[in-house]
């Protein structure tokens, strides 16, 4: 950890560090040139709660030995937040460094036939890494829209029609896409269009279907958690086993990319689990104390473990930054809690996926990079998943243009100084599935509305018009101070409206 010494040598060292962001992360020899840009693997679980990991929640009824090991070998961020309480907007923020409410998506999520949400001209994390000389890839659940081939290219259709999850008018999924990840900076892509319970059920490799024999796939509604919708899909597609397919594809990407020692790689790995349908393989069924959901989390943990083993076997682990997090809180409902009372998927936090309350967006976040992060460390600094762009820009020594990463703040300094007192971001905006806003500044969280803004609660007619919580003394959000702190409410609401209107939050 760097310390402050009032002497000339230290001053010169700081000037040297400022000339290259990478020097901050070298463990040895600032001048020997032996440490190159790290490989980066960004693993995004789907609907995984903070309380699911046994390293974060000692009372978890789920075993996560591989993620526990990852945490022990790296840094745990205890106050990390997804950009939204649901998946599509969070994914937009991860790849663009921009809050998704600034896009066309003001609430909810996209469907499997929705057109691209990320604008083609928008600078992405993949673009950033390509500029730094990286090979870039995405493997997993995309859920950011694909521009499917039109049956009749001359026919115009309002693109928002396809956001209803079922419309296939004038689309030919058998012919693939005309726009997707490969148009947004990714050299390689192998994705499913949306969540594993949303049609079409098809693997798309670099814009082409892995199997273009399209059939009707019947849905399933029971039991709880084992759910998917009716829809089209590839004849060879199997909903159970998708998680392992992504794990295998990711390992092969690492193997292939690792052969080029002079070119680092960036792999964005948005897994399809443990989102519904809960379909763990037979090996993991009945292995947890949290039902099928817990079994699927344990299966997810095992896939992460296999990736770590691949890095070790190839000698890539030391200079690979692995980040593991989740796109929002767990979809852990009151009925699940009744069935498994000992397990709190969202830990002590109020609410669940979709909610503006902490349970909707307070997520696990682990970063391991042996060459750049001291093992066994943690930080309580507030970060957002949209901060990936600015962080990787700092690590690769790049400066973001004013039109890129408008809501992204670098937390790279925390890798070497986890106890840094100055906040890496002055505030953070939260957003619910129904479009309700909240803003966090320091210990204070202001919610601009009643209830959860999601599936948990609509609030009562007698509730105050908004909510204010002191998360330092009340992390469970039990005492609403809205009516007792009117001046603070006014200040935070004004800040929220300013940041929404001006189109950015970081200094441009």
């Amino acid at each position: 950890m760097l310390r402050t010494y009032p002497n000339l040598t230290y001053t010169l060292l700081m000037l040297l560090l400022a000339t290259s962001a990478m020097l901050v992360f070298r463990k040895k020899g600032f001048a020997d040139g032996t440490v190159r840009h790290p490989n980066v693997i960004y693993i995004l679980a789907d609907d995984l709660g903070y309380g699911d990991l046994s390293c974060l929640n000692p009372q978890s009824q789920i075993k996560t030995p591989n993620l526990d090991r990852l945490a022990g070998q790296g840094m745990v961020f205890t106050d990390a937040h997804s950009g939204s309480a649901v998946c599509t907007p969070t994914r937009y923020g991860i790849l663009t460094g921009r809050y998704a409410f600034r896009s066309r998506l003001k609430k909810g999520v996209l469907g499997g036939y929705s057109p691209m949400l990320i604008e083609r001209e928008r600078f992405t994390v993949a673009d950033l890494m390509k500029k730094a000389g990286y090979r870039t890839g995405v493997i997993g659940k995309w859920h950011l829209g694909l521009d499917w081939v039109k049956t009749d290219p001359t026919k115009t259709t309002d693109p928002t029609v396809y956001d209803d999850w079922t419309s296939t008018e004038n689309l030919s999924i058998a012919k693939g896409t005309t726009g997707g990840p490969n148009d947004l900076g990714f050299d390689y892509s192998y994705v499913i269009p949306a969540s594993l319970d949303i049609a079409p059920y098809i693997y798309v490799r670099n814009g082409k279907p892995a199997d273009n024999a399209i059939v009707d796939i019947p849905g399933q509604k029971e039991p709880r958690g084992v759910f998917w919708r009716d829809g089209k899909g590839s004849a060879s597609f199997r909903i159970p086993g998708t998680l392992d397919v992504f794990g295998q594809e990711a390992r092969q990407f690492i193997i292939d990319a690792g052969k080029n020692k002079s070119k680092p790689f960036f792999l964005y790995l948005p897994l399809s689990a443990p989102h519904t349908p809960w379909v763990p393989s037979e090996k993991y069924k009945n292995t947890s104390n949290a039902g099928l959901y817990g079994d699927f989390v344990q299966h997810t943990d095992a896939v992460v473990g296999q990736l770590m083993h691949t890095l070790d076997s190839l000698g890539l682990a030391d200079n690979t930054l692995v980040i593991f997090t989740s796109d929002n809180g767990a979809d852990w409902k009151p009925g699940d809690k009744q069935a498994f009372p000992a397990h709190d998927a969202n830990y002590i936090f109020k609410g669940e996926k979709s909610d503006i309350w902490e349970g909707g967006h307070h997520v696990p976040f682990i970063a391991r990079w042996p060459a750049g992060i001291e093992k066994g460390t943690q930080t309580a600094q507030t970060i957002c998943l949209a901060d990936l762009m600015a962080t990787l820009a700092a690590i690769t020594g790049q400066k973001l243009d004013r039109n890129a990463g408008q809501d992204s703040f670098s937390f790279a300094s925390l890798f070497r100084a986890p106890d840094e007192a100055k906040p890496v971001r002055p505030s953070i905006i939260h957003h619910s599935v129904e479009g309700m806003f909240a803003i966090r500044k320091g210990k204070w969280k202001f919610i601009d509305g009643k209830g959860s803004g999601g599936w948990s609660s609509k609030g009562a007619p007698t509730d105050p018009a908004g909510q204010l919580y002191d998360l330092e003394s009340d992390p469970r959000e039990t005492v609403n101070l809205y009516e007792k702190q009117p001046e603070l409410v006014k200040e935070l609401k004004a800040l929220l409206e300013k940041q929404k209107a001006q189109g950015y939050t970081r200094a441009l």
Side-chain angles (χ1 to χ4, degrees), residues 9 41 79 94 108 125 128 290 299 345 354 420:
T9 301
I41 302 175
D79 198 17
I94 289 170
V125 169
L128 176 85
H299 189 175
S354 80
E420 184 175 305

Side-chain angles (χ1 to χ4, degrees), residues 241-267:
T242 302
L243 177 59
D244 288 321
V245 169
F246 289 147
Q248 180 179 343
E249 286 285 331
R251 294 194 300 275
Q252 191 60 53
F253 178 91
I254 294 168
I255 292 169
D256 293 342
K259 292 176 182 177
N260 188 344
K261 302 298 183 182
S262 63
K263 189 179 182 72
F265 63 83
F266 167 67
L267 173 60

Side-chain angles (χ1 to χ4, degrees), residues 17-255:
L17 291 176
T19 65
S20 172
M22 270 305 299
L23 294 179
V24 177
F25 306 102
R26 294 182 178 176
K27 274 189 167 182
K28 61 179 182 179
F30 288 115
D32 62 12
T34 58
V35 179
R36 56 188 176 86
H37 290 169
N39 302 309
V40 179
I41 302 175
Y42 192 91
I43 307 172
L44 185 70
D46 197 2
D47 290 6
L48 182 78
Y50 189 100
D52 289 328
L53 276 62
S54 45
C55 59
L56 301 179
N57 176 16
Q59 280 72 51
S60 175
Q61 299 301 298
I62 301 172
K63 305 179 188 72
T64 54
N66 295 293
L67 291 171
D68 294 352
R69 189 178 308 115
L70 193 72
Q73 294 171 347
M75 175 178 288
V76 172
F77 290 70
T78 60
D79 198 17
H81 297 263
S82 54
S84 169
V86 284
C87 57
T88 296
T90 288
R91 291 157 200 268
Y92 179 94
I94 289 170
L95 292 182
T96 67
R98 183 173 184 251
Y99 290 134
F101 63 79
R102 304 196 195 281
S103 74
R104 78 170 193 264
L105 187 69
K106 306 304 180 185
K107 60 180 181 179
V109 301
L110 296 184
Y113 301 106
S114 299
M116 287 169 57
L117 179 62
I118 299 178
E119 306 84 351
R120 287 177 183 255
E121 69 278 7
R122 182 74 54 196
F123 189 73
T124 69
V125 169
D127 291 323
L128 176 85
M129 300 307 272
K130 284 191 74 169
K131 280 183 62 179
Y134 280 67
R135 182 188 181 192
T136 59
V138 54
I139 295 169
K141 168 187 165 179
W142 181 240
H143 214 170
L144 282 165
L146 297 167
D147 290 345
W148 295 101
V149 170
K150 298 286 180 62
T151 305
D152 180 357
T154 66
K155 183 178 180 181
T156 59
T157 305
D158 181 354
T160 61
V161 166
Y162 301 120
D163 288 345
D164 73 355
W165 297 19
T166 59
S167 293
T168 59
E169 177 191 354
N170 199 32
L171 298 183
S172 176
I173 61 173
K175 294 183 179 179
T177 68
T178 59
N182 298 84
D183 300 284
L184 298 170
F186 288 102
D187 298 315
Y188 177 79
S189 65
Y190 186 86
V191 300
I192 58 174
S195 298
L196 196 53
D197 57 8
I198 300 175
Y201 304 106
I202 187 171
Y203 295 114
V204 182
R205 189 192 304 272
N206 294 326
K208 301 296 183 183
D211 177 1
N212 60 8
I214 305 302
V215 299
D216 290 319
I217 295 180
Q220 180 169 312
K221 296 183 179 179
E222 299 293 342
R224 154 71 177 145
V226 186
F227 166 85
W228 61 87
R229 296 166 178 83
D230 294 327
K232 302 289 185 180
S234 295
S236 61
F237 193 92
R238 299 292 179 268
I239 288 175
T242 302
L243 177 59
D244 288 321
V245 169
F246 289 147
Q248 180 179 343
E249 286 285 331
R251 294 194 300 275
Q252 191 60 53
F253 178 91
I254 294 168
I255 292 169

